[in-house]
Every structure is written in structure tokens, then in C-alpha cells.
Amino acid sequence: MFLGAIDIGGTKTIVAVCDEKGNIIEMENFPTENGDWMVHFRITAEKFIQCVNKLQIDINEDLSGIGINVPGMVDENGILIYAPHQNWRDVHVKDYFSNYFKTDKIIVENDVNSCAVGEMIFGGGGHDFLWITISTGNGGAIIANGQLIRGNQSCAGEFGHLKVEFESPRKCSCGQYGCLEAHSSGTAIKEQFEEALLYDLNLKETVLNKQIKDEKFKIDAYGLSLLAREGNSVAIDIFTRTGMYLGRAISYGVNISNPQTVYLGGGIAESLDLILPAIIMELDKCAIEECGKVTICKTKLGYNAAIIGASALVYLQKDILANL
Ligand SMILES: [Zn+2]
């Protein structure tokens, strides 16, 4: 049997068919339309059907189900409550795709929750862990006793908006101040890099030299990680602060759910070596001893975590699990 997977992200959408171990067999990606959700969903459904047709298989006969990620909060009925980037509200995602594909084997989930389900089934595994994305923004999910924790309003695991700085808080995209996302996301790292360039002439010269040698060098989190690896002290400081704030947020999470592992995903997780010492130091300071004994590592799902996670959602349907 095969697993259908659709990942509707903030900027990019992926459709794929995976085997029952979550290996991607066929995949295509295209931009997420910002306008009417119905227009984008129709394009997505058509692309998915093309993907299935390439493999000469049938949606109803050969797929155990279709997992669909959306970039926002989802309730247990598969209704997208709100997607901030697109400004989509109360979208009946499950109903739309069930009608389009003429199947009831549709499972809809928030994209970060889906990564956590993917990690449990196809990745590093475990039954008690936190999953934190460090990308343009920060997201999170909690798996406890092998169950995804959804919460009363389906918004459990919002690590990005835990408050980590009170003395000199930065403004967050949510409108509040001092959130993890405002201090430890890819966007926050880029902003701090730009701010440092305004007052630090040595850094400015280093960056100009870099840009002369390599025209692809960018003033962003990845560019800063290159400087940090060369020993640039300003770059190292920014990554150390990023790790410290992450450690603070993780300490809240581990004290609450006492996980075995914290998986980190998203682009900044590729720089884990630059932030891990500060994460551990802050965790030692802020978490209680028993809860602080936690393994912190990169996701085992790699770059395609979200689409593999979407395919793993199929396993949340118990009747399908029994038939595999
Ligand atoms: Zn916030």
C-alpha cells in the first residue's frame, strides 16, 4: 500500500506519494497561492492526482489514506481555524479533499504536529518528546505517552510564543514582546545580524570581503553561521544568545511534560553545533534536574520532515493501521 501526502506550507506546497515506510516515491512542489483557499486547494488536488497517475495507481484502491498538513491551527474535525500567512479562517479542509478525492481517508493536521507524528513513526522515534521548528518562525509539538497533545483549542505546543526575555524584549509577529520567535528564529538571527552591521565596522568589512569572494553570500542566518564557524565573535555571540533563549523555552517544556528527547527541525537546526552548548547551559540553570536529563538532537527526518510527517498521519487512523 501507499501513503498520500500533501503539505500546504506558508509559501510552498508539496504533493507526494510515499511507500508504507515513509520513503518518498513521487513528489512535486509549487508556490502556495495567497488568495482564495478554494483556488489553491483545487490546484493542489489536481497536482496530487497527477502525482498518483504517474505511478499508475488508484487513490481509493492503492492509498491507505492521504495526510494533509496546513500552516495553522486545526481542530479534530479537520477544520483549519486560522492560517496567519494566508489569512485563511474556518476552512473545511477535510470536507473539501474528501469530496474532491471521493474518499473518507483524509487526515488533516497542523504542519508542526505532523512533523512530530512523522518523527514518532518514521524518524528517531520515542513516545515522550518535544518537536521544535526553528525556521523563519518557531513552532512546536508535544508527544506524551505516544499521543499528540492537541489541547482544548488545538493549539498546544506553541513554543514560539513562550516568553523568554523580559528586560529587553523584541517584538514578535504575534504582537506581543519577548517571545521565543522574536529572539531565536531565523528571522530574529537575520535581524540581529543586520543590527550588528550598523554599529560594527569590523563585521561590515568582513561581510564586504565575503561578498566580493562569493556573490551568493547573504546577510541571513545561514550567512551568519558561516562567519561563526570562522570564529567571528559577533556571529558566535548571536548564536549563543539564540541557544540561550531556546534553552529557556525548552526548560519550560521539559518541566511540564518530562520528555526523553527534544527534536529540533527547520533550517537553524542545521547549526545545532553552534547553539547546543548554550541550550544545555541554560537548561541546566532553568529546568529541574530530573526533567533536564533530556537528549537534544536534530530531527531524523531531514529536510523533507513536513511531507514525510503528512504521510505518517495516515497511521493515525486505527482501522488503516490494522490493515497494513
Ligand atoms: Zn509571539
Side-chain angles (χ1 to χ4, degrees):
M1 289 302 268
F2 297 95
L3 312 172
I6 296 176
D7 175 44
I8 302 172
T11 54
K12 188 178 76 171
T13 295
I14 306 172
V15 292
V17 175
C18 299
D19 69 11
E20 59 189 48
K21 292 200 167 87
N23 300 305
I24 298 164
I25 301 170
E26 191 66 52
M27 178 166 88
E28 195 187 332
N29 62 60
F30 46 96
T32 301
E33 304 283 332
N34 274 333
D36 186 352
W37 63 265
M38 223 182 267
V39 173
H40 184 65
F41 281 18
R42 201 190 63 240
I43 296 169
T44 302
E46 284 166 3
K47 297 256 189 203
F48 182 74
I49 288 173
Q50 283 169 16
C51 214
V52 169
N53 288 345
K54 269 191 206 162
L55 294 170
Q56 296 182 310
I57 56 174
D58 181 82
I59 285 185
N60 274 292
E61 283 176 23
D62 301 309
L63 295 182
S64 302
I66 305 168
I68 302 177
N69 298 343
V70 286
M73 286 177 232
V74 180
D75 73 7
E76 63 272 26
N77 299 316
I79 298 171
L80 169 62
I81 300 163
Y82 179 49
H85 200 272
Q86 273 69 28
N87 202 21
W88 292 339
R89 284 178 198 274
D90 299 320
V91 179
H92 290 239
V93 184
K94 186 181 164 108
D95 286 352
Y96 181 90
F97 286 101
S98 296
N99 287 332
Y100 201 102
F101 296 136
K102 305 206 175 9
T103 172
D104 56 359
K105 298 179 204 167
I106 302 281
I107 316 93
V108 184
E109 192 49 85
N110 161 271
D111 47 8
V112 185
N113 283 350
S114 170
C115 287
V117 172
E119 197 74 54
M120 180 164 63
I121 295 175
F122 298 132
H127 285 116
D128 288 282
F129 63 83
L130 307 178
W131 211 99
I132 301 178
T133 309
I134 326 165
S135 184
T136 312
N138 294 125
I142 305 165
I143 300 280
N145 299 328
Q147 299 284 321
L148 176 68
I149 304 300
R150 309 189 58 85
N152 182 39
Q153 301 287 327
S154 305
C155 59
E158 281 290 341
F159 281 90
H161 305 286
L162 289 175
K163 303 296 174 282
V164 292
E165 174 59 62
F166 297 92
E167 301 286 318
S168 47
R170 302 174 72 87
K171 191 169 185 193
C172 182
S173 62
C174 72
Q176 297 184 359
Y177 287 82
C179 297
L180 180 70
E181 182 165 302
H183 290 272
S184 290
S185 59
T187 309
I189 294 173
K190 181 175 188 275
E191 281 171 10
Q192 290 172 78
F193 190 1
E194 287 166 348
E195 286 160 17
L197 280 170
L198 293 177
Y199 65 79
D200 190 318
L201 292 178
N202 284 335
L203 181 67
K204 202 169 182 175
E205 201 181 319
T206 307
V207 168
L208 281 173
N209 283 332
K210 277 263 166 212
Q211 286 172 329
I212 290 166
K213 282 187 204 144
D214 176 8
E215 59 183 28
K216 285 189 188 142
F217 184 88
K218 277 195 200 148
I219 297 164
D220 59 10
Y222 179 70
L224 195 72
S225 76
L226 298 178
L227 296 186
R229 286 182 207 293
E230 288 172 6
N232 182 286
S233 61
V234 178
I236 291 171
D237 280 354
I238 293 174
F239 277 101
T240 302
R241 272 203 302 278
T242 301
M244 180 194 76
Y245 289 122
L246 269 166
R248 208 167 279 180
I250 291 170
S251 79
Y252 302 155
V254 299
N255 273 8
I256 290 168
S257 70
N258 186 206
Q260 185 182 22
T261 314
V262 178
Y263 291 107
L264 300 178
I268 309 300
E270 297 304 314
S271 302
L272 183 60
D273 57 317
L274 296 173
I275 55 177
L276 189 60
I279 292 178
I280 290 172
M281 202 186 281
E282 194 67 9
L283 201 52
D284 281 348
K285 226 193 289 175
C286 303
I288 62 163
E289 200 185 336
E290 293 79 0
C291 293
K293 289 175 190 154
V294 62
T295 303
I296 297 168
C297 61
K298 255 196 305 188
T299 170
K300 302 290 187 282
L301 299 174
Y303 182 72
N304 290 316
I307 192 72
I308 296 170
S311 78
L313 294 176
V314 174
Y315 283 84
L316 295 183
Q317 298 194 121
K318 289 190 178 59
D319 54 328
I320 287 172
L321 189 58
N323 290 328
L324 276 170

